[in-house]
Amino acid sequence: MSVDVRLSLEPIDPMQLLGQFTRLLEEEGAVVSFSGHARRTAADGTALESLVLESHRGATLRSMETIAASATSRFAITRAMVVHRAGHIAPGEAIVFVATASAHRRAAFEAADYLMDRLKTEAVFWKREETALGSRWIEPVEADHADAARWAPPRD
Amino acid sequence: MSVDVRLSLEPIDPMQLLGQFTRLLEEEGAVVSFSGHARRTAADGTALESLVLESHRGATLRSMETIAASATSRFAITRAMVVHRAGHIAPGEAIVFVATASAHRRAAFEAADYLMDRLKTEAVFWKREETALGSRWIEPVEADHADAARWAPPRD
Amino acid sequence: MSATKDCITVTVELCGRLADAGDPFVSVAIPAAGCTAAELLACVAHDCPALKDDIDLGRVKVCITDAVVSAEARLLPHDRIALFPPVSGG
Amino acid sequence: MSATKDCITVTVELCGRLADAGDPFVSVAIPAAGCTAAELLACVAHDCPALKDDIDLGRVKVCITDAVVSAEARLLPHDRIALFPPVSGG
């Protein structure tokens, strides 16, 4: 089992991360990746200038590691990567990249899905949108909570 | 809606394909990718020398296009890519790459999952494993049929 | 005209394990006016004994151009015809 | 010794929107022997009126080093302490 969890203040490139992840494959037959990208429009409909993810040195990375460990214990995956951007993110740029590998594809799909559901609700970030009109804090949307509630409570 | 379906007799590189796919993103917030890789061991436990996917000029690509069209009509995705390798595939090499993009992540996850379930059971390929002991035709495993049965029958 | 004179030879591509017995292309005599897919399979079973069991067990499908067709579908001598065993998926 | 002499000033980091009112680091007086997370929040509510409402509504959690702790957890003056509003997720 290999788990690679990173918090990055620099832009992240899903293509390069998938390349790094795939190069390490051994017997795995299935690889699933997810990347989430900053939208071009803020929640209030105005053009987004920047999405800002504030993080906490220590607690943010630890929350990501806890979520990744939970995924590896619940699903038959052999390898996982979780890379999250923090700081100022431009529209279109990647916010988060997740990859999972397994012998059979169902485990890789479910683990990536689970990782994203928990990251979107529980990872220690505080998010705000900056537009020409100012700055506005945002919280998880209802759909995020509904997605996270699909899974049995984590054992951690 | 943009759908890119390809049948390749040359090796395919999931990293490069994800790069091509991601470069075209517009307002999508979520990208899911799947790649399936040839195992190093044949079903009978001997070392795999080559996985051979025979295809039919015309029918194979058409079956992939039908499956892709079904996915785009069932799920709220805005973009999909389906690239399938045919011919002789070395252990570890990618067999198939699927990518989906959507405004919200659930649709992208479900569409990629659905695409793979149908490709693994219905795409027009005949697969055989070549080992030092000879060549052996293989059919979808039970788990593939069970996965495909999770979805309501396609309307096409 | 005799029944023989009304026949024409078409080339049929054998896909997957159907080609294991030899050449992936076989010549089959069908009525010159065309026939149904089911009738083609009967002609193949007659001309290529190695394929008879699979055909009799319903394990062989007929593909015209780029699509599998039903038993009743009509095919013409100039169609591109292939026979498919059950697909394995990707 | 008076109660005042038993206190020590610790620096508390304010995360997310808790820092909107001003400096992301505030100084708070806590008992020199340490206190519970709940007691720290009471001290913060007293020293930083801008945070009182969020604290009273239970919307603020205490993080020591790299983990959110329960109300009963004890913290010592040398701990790295932060206050978290509800997280937004990634």
Side-chain angles (χ1 to χ4, degrees):
Chain A
M1 166 59 63
S2 152
V3 183
D4 183 354
V5 180
R6 309 181 208 168
L7 181 63
S8 172
L9 291 166
E10 304 297 320
I12 61 175
D13 180 348
M15 177 182 94
Q16 288 199 341
L17 293 170
L18 183 63
Q20 290 172 22
F21 187 75
T22 306
R23 264 195 294 283
L24 297 173
L25 289 184
E26 291 170 3
E27 189 54 17
E28 294 92 346
V31 175
V32 170
S33 83
F34 175 87
S35 59
H37 299 258
R39 297 204 166 77
R40 291 169 202 281
T41 312
D44 64 5
T46 56
L48 192 69
E49 291 181 350
S50 186
L51 178 69
V52 184
L53 264 73
E54 296 201 355
S55 60
H56 176 268
R57 180 165 62 92
T60 299
L61 188 62
R62 176 158 163 169
S63 70
M64 293 166 57
E65 289 169 342
T66 300
I67 292 167
S70 176
T72 58
S73 74
R74 286 172 84 109
F75 303 99
I77 56 174
T78 52
R79 201 170 282 278
M81 180 186 265
V82 177
V83 182
H84 214 296
R85 177 91 182 272
H88 282 66
I89 303 170
E93 284 186 345
I95 304 167
V96 58
F97 176 84
V98 158
T100 53
S102 58
H104 303 289
R105 69 184 180 285
R106 185 113 322 279
F109 268 117
E110 289 183 344
D113 198 6
Y114 173 85
L115 280 167
M116 282 311 305
D117 282 351
R118 289 199 60 196
L119 286 167
K120 292 291 279 186
T121 47
E122 295 170 42
V124 173
F125 289 101
W126 300 278
K127 221 165 7 183
R128 59 190 161 84
E129 292 177 337
E130 293 186 346
T131 70
L133 302 178
S135 176
R136 182 174 154 278
W137 292 102
I138 48 182
E139 307 225 329
V141 296
E142 198 47 53
D144 290 323
H145 288 300
D147 284 344
R150 296 180 305 142
W151 311 96
R155 286 174 300 226
D156 47 57
Chain B
M1 167 60 65
S2 152
V3 184
D4 182 355
V5 181
R6 309 181 207 169
L7 182 62
S8 172
L9 291 165
E10 303 298 318
I12 62 175
D13 180 347
M15 179 181 93
Q16 289 198 340
L17 294 170
L18 182 64
Q20 290 172 21
F21 187 75
T22 306
R23 264 194 294 283
L24 297 173
L25 289 185
E26 290 169 4
E27 191 53 18
E28 294 92 345
V31 175
V32 170
S33 83
F34 176 86
S35 58
H37 299 259
R39 297 207 166 74
R40 290 168 202 282
T41 311
D44 64 3
T46 55
L48 191 70
E49 290 180 352
S50 188
L51 178 69
V52 184
L53 262 73
E54 297 201 355
S55 59
H56 175 268
R57 181 166 60 94
T60 299
L61 188 62
R62 174 160 165 166
S63 70
M64 291 166 60
E65 289 169 341
T66 300
I67 292 167
S70 175
T72 59
S73 74
R74 288 171 82 109
F75 302 99
I77 57 174
T78 52
R79 200 170 281 279
M81 180 186 265
V82 177
V83 182
H84 215 297
R85 178 90 182 272
H88 282 66
I89 303 170
E93 285 187 343
I95 303 166
V96 58
F97 176 83
V98 158
T100 53
S102 59
H104 302 288
R105 70 183 182 284
R106 182 115 325 280
F109 267 117
E110 289 183 345
D113 197 6
Y114 173 86
L115 281 166
M116 283 310 308
D117 282 350
R118 287 198 61 194
L119 287 167
K120 292 292 279 186
T121 47
E122 295 169 42
V124 173
F125 289 101
W126 300 278
K127 220 164 8 183
R128 58 190 161 84
E129 292 177 336
E130 294 187 343
T131 69
L133 302 177
S135 177
R136 181 173 154 277
W137 293 100
I138 49 181
E139 308 225 329
V141 297
E142 197 48 53
D144 290 322
H145 288 300
D147 284 343
R150 296 179 307 142
W151 310 96
R155 287 172 300 222
D156 45 58
Chain C
M1 287 191 290
S2 74
T4 311
K5 287 196 74 173
D6 283 353
C7 282
I8 192 165
T9 297
V10 294
T11 300
V12 174
E13 181 180 3
L14 303 179
C15 293
R17 63 175 170 73
L18 299 183
D20 277 358
D23 199 305
F25 292 94
V26 295
S27 297
V28 180
I30 66 165
C35 65
T36 66
E39 288 163 351
L40 171 79
L41 288 174
C43 295
V44 174
H46 180 269
D47 291 2
C48 311
L51 301 177
K52 188 175 187 308
D53 281 356
D54 275 323
I55 289 170
D56 289 349
L57 288 167
R59 291 203 198 113
V60 177
K61 291 188 169 164
V62 176
C63 173
I64 301 179
T65 311
D66 61 4
V68 169
V69 298
S70 65
E72 307 75 38
R74 283 202 74 76
L75 50 92
L76 300 170
H78 64 266
D79 282 331
R80 198 163 70 85
I81 303 166
L83 299 187
F84 290 180
V87 302
S88 70
Chain D
M1 288 192 286
S2 75
T4 311
K5 286 198 70 170
D6 282 356
C7 280
I8 193 167
T9 298
V10 294
T11 299
V12 174
E13 181 180 1
L14 304 179
C15 292
R17 65 176 167 73
L18 298 184
D20 277 357
D23 198 307
F25 291 94
V26 295
S27 295
V28 179
I30 66 165
C35 65
T36 66
E39 288 164 350
L40 171 78
L41 288 175
C43 295
V44 173
H46 179 268
D47 292 1
C48 311
L51 300 177
K52 187 173 186 311
D53 281 358
D54 276 325
I55 289 171
D56 288 349
L57 288 167
R59 291 203 199 114
V60 178
K61 291 185 171 166
V62 176
C63 173
I64 302 180
T65 310
D66 62 4
V68 168
V69 298
S70 65
E72 307 75 39
R74 285 200 73 75
L75 53 90
L76 300 171
H78 64 266
D79 281 332
R80 197 162 71 85
I81 303 166
L83 298 188
F84 290 0
V87 301
S88 71

